[in-house]
């Protein structure tokens, strides 16, 4: 019996000895554990990505629609918001004028000495710099018709007047005159417009940098006895003009 028990103990000892851990068992166990942790993390990341892919469209839509970036605001604004249409009609504006001229006898760089009887300043004028003008009628109403209009041409616009007079000369549509020692040109402009007989006009050279254009309205011209009477009145107005340049 003792021999049997000794044999049993020996056999158990031999079996237990074979169960001892190898020298690198701890390292292998740690490495295995780390590997399992990495695999677990990778699996978790993959699962998160998969979940994001599923819900990303709705998240992206909510993000762009609710809180767009500056660049997205510009892009989506151009697509989603049509440009505003300004259908407000433009407000008409009056041309620049010479202001209050009092009796209208002096404006710009000229003084008016003579006007036909009954005429007064119409309270109308225009001022475009080197070209400016005013007019005279019976009732002093700036909405009424003019009887006489005086337009002054200075500096850069002088050449335009001289070219215009040269064109009239070529058409033989007027005549050379001398008024108060100054050269001028008498012509009827705009003949046939609106069924009228045209606008009797005296161009008068006031100086090297200034011309006066004195006009009678066609309706006013009919109040005189004829073309010679109209020309005489135009010359009187021209004689009474004084340059203040």
């Amino acid at each position: 019996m003792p021999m049997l028990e000794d044999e049993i103990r020996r056999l158990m000892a031999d079996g237990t000895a074979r169960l001892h851990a190898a020298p690198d068992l701890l390292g292998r166990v740690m490495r295995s554990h780390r590997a399992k942790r990495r695999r677990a993390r990778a699996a978790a990341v993959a699962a998160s990505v998969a979940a994001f892919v599923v819900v990303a469209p709705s998240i992206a839509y909510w993000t762009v629609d609710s809180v767009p970036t500056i660049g997205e605001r510009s892009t989506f604004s151009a697509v989603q918001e049509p440009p505003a249409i300004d259908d407000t009609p433009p407000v008409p504006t009056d041309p620049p004028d010479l202001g209050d001229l009092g009796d209208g006898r002096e404006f710009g760089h000229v003084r008016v000495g003579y006007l036909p009887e009954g005429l007064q300043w119409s309270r109308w004028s225009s001022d475009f710099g080197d070209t400016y003008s005013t007019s005279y009628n019976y009732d002093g109403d700036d909405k009424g018709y003019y009887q006489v209009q005086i337009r002054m041409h200075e500096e850069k616009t002088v050449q335009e007047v001289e070219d215009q007079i040269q064109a009239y000369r070529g058409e033989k549509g007027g005549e050379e005159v001398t008024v108060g020692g100054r050269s001028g040109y008498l012509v009827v402009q705009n003949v046939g417009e609106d069924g009228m007989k045209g606008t009797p006009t005296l161009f008068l050279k006031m100086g090297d940098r200034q011309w006066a254009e004195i006009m009678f309205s066609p309706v006013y011209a009919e109040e005189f006895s004829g073309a010679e009477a109209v020309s005489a009145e135009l010359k009187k107005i021209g004689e009474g003009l004084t340059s203040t340049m």
Side-chain angles (χ1 to χ4, degrees):
M1 190 67 177
M3 292 179 61
L4 178 59
E5 292 176 353
D6 291 342
E7 183 64 21
I8 291 172
R9 291 190 184 94
R10 184 184 64 80
L11 290 173
M12 290 178 63
D14 290 343
T16 304
R18 287 196 295 269
L19 294 175
H20 285 172
D24 64 343
L25 178 59
L26 180 60
R28 285 190 283 114
V29 170
M30 294 298 295
R31 287 194 295 272
S32 176
H33 180 68
R34 286 195 295 268
K36 289 180 180 179
R37 290 178 61 185
R38 285 196 297 270
R39 287 194 296 271
R41 284 198 301 268
V45 170
S48 299
V49 171
F52 178 78
V53 170
V54 172
V55 300
S58 60
I59 294 175
Y61 178 82
W62 180 87
T63 303
V64 171
D65 187 60
S66 302
V67 190
T69 64
I70 293 177
E72 289 168 338
R73 283 200 297 271
S74 300
T75 302
F76 283 94
S77 177
V79 173
Q80 297 176 355
E81 298 180 5
I85 299 175
D86 185 5
D87 57 357
T88 304
V91 178
T93 57
D94 294 329
D97 60 36
L98 296 168
D100 187 356
L101 301 177
D103 62 3
R105 291 300 185 111
E106 186 169 354
F107 63 100
H109 300 118
V110 68
R111 183 178 297 110
V112 180
Y114 170 80
L115 284 173
E117 185 177 355
L119 297 188
Q120 57 183 310
W121 182 44
S122 68
R123 310 194 69 78
W124 171 89
S125 66
S126 66
D127 181 11
F128 295 98
D130 289 342
T131 300
Y132 53 92
S133 182
T134 194
S135 64
Y136 307 88
N137 57 22
Y138 288 125
D139 53 15
D141 181 5
D142 61 351
K143 301 297 190 294
Y145 294 101
Y146 80 96
Q147 270 67 50
V148 172
Q149 180 176 350
I150 302 176
R151 180 183 295 131
M152 301 302 299
H153 306 271
E154 298 173 356
E155 304 295 351
K156 295 179 180 179
T157 61
V158 164
Q159 187 60 50
E160 297 175 10
V161 175
E162 292 177 350
D163 292 343
Q164 186 177 359
I165 293 173
Q166 188 60 37
Y168 285 136
R169 289 191 182 108
E171 298 170 1
K172 302 185 184 303
E175 62 173 311
E176 306 283 350
V177 294
T178 300
V179 178
R182 296 174 292 204
S183 61
Y185 197 82
L186 271 173
V187 65
V188 178
Q189 301 187 90
N190 309 319
V191 175
E193 288 191 2
D194 299 327
M196 306 301 291
K197 296 181 180 180
T199 305
T201 304
L202 170 63
F203 290 99
L204 186 63
K205 186 174 182 178
M206 305 292 292
D208 292 338
R209 299 180 297 141
Q210 186 183 51
W211 277 80
E213 181 180 2
I214 308 165
M215 295 165 280
F216 273 20
S217 73
V219 173
Y220 184 56
E222 291 181 353
E223 297 183 16
F224 294 84
S225 59
E228 290 187 3
V230 171
S231 296
E233 284 296 295
L234 285 171
K235 290 177 181 179
K236 286 182 181 180
I237 296 173
E239 287 176 355
L241 290 184
T242 304
S243 175
T244 59
M245 289 187 70

